[in-house]
Amino acid sequence: MAWTDFWALISILNGQATQANCRLLAEELSRRPVADIIGFAERHAEALYRLDQEKFGTVPVVDLTARFGNPFPQSSDVFLYARCAAVAAGQAVWESVFKDGWPNLRG
């Protein structure tokens, strides 16, 4: 699947991976050939993988501090959810992460 096709499908989420939006995306994918579904899954995995960088994963969570006032680190789950949210937000947000850096994360 071409990136343009992938991002067109992601745009169905309208910037948020709500249950209703995910259902719309799933319905659209269900009407497509298996090759498109696999292609979408491969692009999705690649989009997440490209965000899987130490410089993003070590950004602390905003408004939380650990013992003695140290920054509160992201857990691996928080980092995965943040990457998923960046992809679901759409191509412009996803690309901005590489240009402008990781957005502040809230716990």
Side-chain angles (χ1 to χ4, degrees), residues 27-104:
E27 288 171 1
E28 175 59 34
L29 284 168
S30 73
R31 291 189 285 269
R32 294 183 175 234
V34 171
D36 283 359
I37 297 168
I38 292 169
F40 178 84
E42 289 172 345
R43 286 292 183 206
H44 187 258
E46 185 177 352
L48 292 173
Y49 180 74
R50 288 184 180 187
L51 291 172
D52 193 5
Q53 298 180 32
E54 184 177 356
K55 67 182 177 181
F56 300 141
T58 56
V59 174
V61 178
V62 173
D63 295 336
L64 288 177
T65 56
R67 194 172 214 186
F68 306 115
N70 294 328
F72 193 85
Q74 293 182 67
S75 67
S76 57
D77 286 344
V78 168
F79 185 43
L80 172 61
Y81 302 150
R83 289 183 291 139
C84 289
V87 173
Q91 183 176 6
V93 171
W94 183 80
E95 289 177 350
S96 75
V97 171
F98 299 102
K99 296 174 191 166
D100 303 327
W102 199 251
N104 289 329

Side-chain angles (χ1 to χ4, degrees), residues 9-10 12-30 40 44 84 88:
L9 286 166
I10 288 292
I12 292 170
L13 298 174
N14 200 27
Q16 296 183 333
T18 64
Q19 185 175 355
N21 291 345
C22 289
R23 186 177 307 116
L24 292 172
L25 176 57
E27 288 171 1
E28 175 59 34
L29 284 168
S30 73
F40 178 84
H44 187 258
C84 289

